[in-house]
Amino acid sequence: MATIAAADVKKLRDATGAGMMDAKKALVEADGDFEKAIEVLRVSGAAKAAKRGAERSASNGLVAAADGALIKLGAETDFVAKNDEFQNLAASIVAAVAAAKADGVEAAKAVTLPSGQTAADAVTELAAKIGEALEIGEAAYVEGKSALYLHRRDPDLPPQIGVLVAYEGDDEEAAKAAARQIAAMRPNYLTRDEVPAEDVERERRIAEERAREEGKPEQAIGRIVDGRVNAYFKEVVLLEQPSVLDQKTTVGKELEAAGVTVTRFVRFEAGA
């Protein structure tokens, strides 16, 4: 059995971020071979991360953006969200997503980073090193003009809410205002035509049952149901939401006045 020097343990810890006992055990298992010990730590670390990932969720993390791309990189704790290596990985991934025009999580996981790794492999490797469950939670890329808004919940943390708005028109400020609206008011759809028919039918059914339970006159129930369904649209549809800048008008009317047409939006939130 090779003699494991304290200097070798320190060297392995510095290279991998592993704990002292884990580094020493890996060197013992590898019979003092430094490169093999790194492999041992990666394998055991990945196994630990996978086990932890099955038990815990990546309910923290950050959002990152670059050139029409937006991603959510999840972590378990805000301690990791503050980690420079974690933030640098997010920046590298979102840049690769933008370059590849990768739209969606699976496409984002498959992009190749400057290191030669796929994004998915790089996340797995860092998860093994840190010992937390990490994941690419969401990813999107939009063609053409886009407006971006990133929101920090805490000045000590990276952005954790991100909105990307694809639009046509020349008024970038109007598009950015729409992005801020989306961040604050969380619409699910751009237009009411995008709302699933079963959701509308559910709201209509609930509104009718409530009206009857409240003893509303039969002849008024249809009008009451229509009013409550319209109120539902004002909550979930961006263009029908009252503007946070002017409650007397809607986002749709503000955009129309600015000559801007929103064609798509995505909203990602760490922990959501």
Side-chain angles (χ1 to χ4, degrees):
M1 179 184 294
T3 301
I4 308 302
D8 292 333
V9 175
K10 182 180 186 305
K11 181 182 176 183
L12 185 58
R13 290 187 66 193
D14 290 344
T16 63
M20 181 179 69
M21 293 307 297
D22 287 337
K24 187 173 182 179
K25 284 174 62 178
L27 282 165
V28 170
E29 184 176 337
D31 200 24
D33 186 313
F34 188 78
E35 295 301 324
K36 187 175 179 182
I38 290 177
E39 291 184 16
V40 169
L41 284 171
R42 288 183 63 184
V43 171
S44 64
K48 288 178 183 177
K51 182 178 180 182
R52 288 165 66 92
E55 298 168 348
R56 303 182 183 182
S57 62
S59 58
N60 211 291
L62 57 75
V63 293
D67 300 324
L70 182 69
I71 68 163
K72 177 173 77 174
L73 188 59
E76 289 181 38
T77 64
D78 62 3
F79 178 78
V80 169
K82 297 176 185 178
N83 180 283
D84 287 342
E85 198 169 358
F86 179 77
Q87 293 183 24
N88 290 339
L89 177 58
S92 181
I93 291 172
V94 78
V97 167
K101 300 182 178 181
D103 193 16
V105 171
E106 293 308 313
K109 288 179 179 179
V111 299
T112 302
L113 305 185
S115 64
Q117 294 175 294
T118 64
D121 286 344
V123 169
T124 298
E125 182 176 292
L126 186 59
K129 179 177 179 179
I130 290 176
E132 278 200 11
L134 308 180
E135 66 174 6
I136 301 175
E138 296 181 279
Y141 174 79
V142 300
E143 295 275 5
K145 291 182 180 179
S146 62
L148 173 70
Y149 176 65
L150 299 177
H151 178 73
R152 294 175 185 265
R153 297 188 189 125
D154 186 313
D156 293 330
L157 292 173
Q160 294 191 305
I161 298 173
V163 177
L164 193 61
V165 173
Y167 70 97
E168 297 171 353
D170 297 321
D171 194 333
E172 183 180 6
E173 285 306 311
K176 286 183 177 179
R180 291 190 291 271
Q181 169 93 21
I182 293 162
M185 302 309 294
R186 307 182 184 199
N188 301 109
Y189 309 99
L190 178 58
T191 70
R192 67 167 60 193
D193 291 340
E194 294 178 2
V195 183
E198 58 267 28
D199 288 2
V200 178
E201 181 55 36
R202 180 197 65 232
E203 293 300 318
R204 185 170 291 279
R205 184 174 62 254
I206 291 171
E208 183 174 344
E209 290 173 358
R210 281 181 55 200
R212 294 188 188 283
E213 287 177 0
E214 291 165 358
K216 302 297 184 183
E218 189 65 31
Q219 64 272 23
I221 287 179
R223 176 173 49 80
I224 292 170
V225 169
D226 287 343
R228 288 177 176 173
V229 171
N230 282 331
Y232 167 71
F233 284 134
K234 289 178 181 179
E235 289 181 8
V236 301
V237 174
L238 173 64
L239 298 183
E240 301 195 24
Q241 283 188 339
S243 167
V244 294
L245 299 176
D246 181 0
Q247 292 286 308
K248 295 179 181 178
T249 190
T250 65
V251 174
K253 288 179 180 178
E254 283 188 334
L255 290 169
E256 184 179 2
V260 169
T261 300
V262 171
T263 57
R264 180 189 176 190
F265 72 84
V266 291
R267 180 188 187 279
F268 299 157
E269 180 174 356

